[in-house]
Amino acid sequence: MDLVYFAWVRERIGLPREQVETQAATVTDLVAELRGREERYAAAFADLSALRVALDQELSEFDAPLAGVREVAFFPPMTGG
């Protein structure tokens, strides 16, 4: 599965994207796995209310299932202007 990070999420993790193998059933499960990796992931995913997620380029929720998903993107909420 491809993970893509944008804005300050990318800055905290230090990578724009990576490939992972996971047994996570939902996005929340995936985040829990990532938090357990290293402090930089724990910092990036400390407050899920400050994040949005897209599955295969469609905005989704953190309780969404990951079955069949090829790409998960994490980014902060965007504001219009």
Side-chain angles (χ1 to χ4, degrees), residues 47-68:
D47 181 9
L48 293 187
S49 69
L51 286 174
R52 299 293 176 264
V53 63
L55 304 180
D56 291 332
Q57 300 184 5
E58 290 193 24
L59 195 58
S60 191
E61 300 294 329
F62 282 86
D63 61 354
L66 290 175

Side-chain angles (χ1 to χ4, degrees), residues 1-4 27 30 53-55 66 69-74:
M1 173 179 303
D2 291 324
L3 303 184
V4 185
V27 178
L30 175 61
V53 63
L55 304 180
L66 290 175
V69 171
R70 293 182 311 274
E71 179 187 86
V72 180
F74 294 100

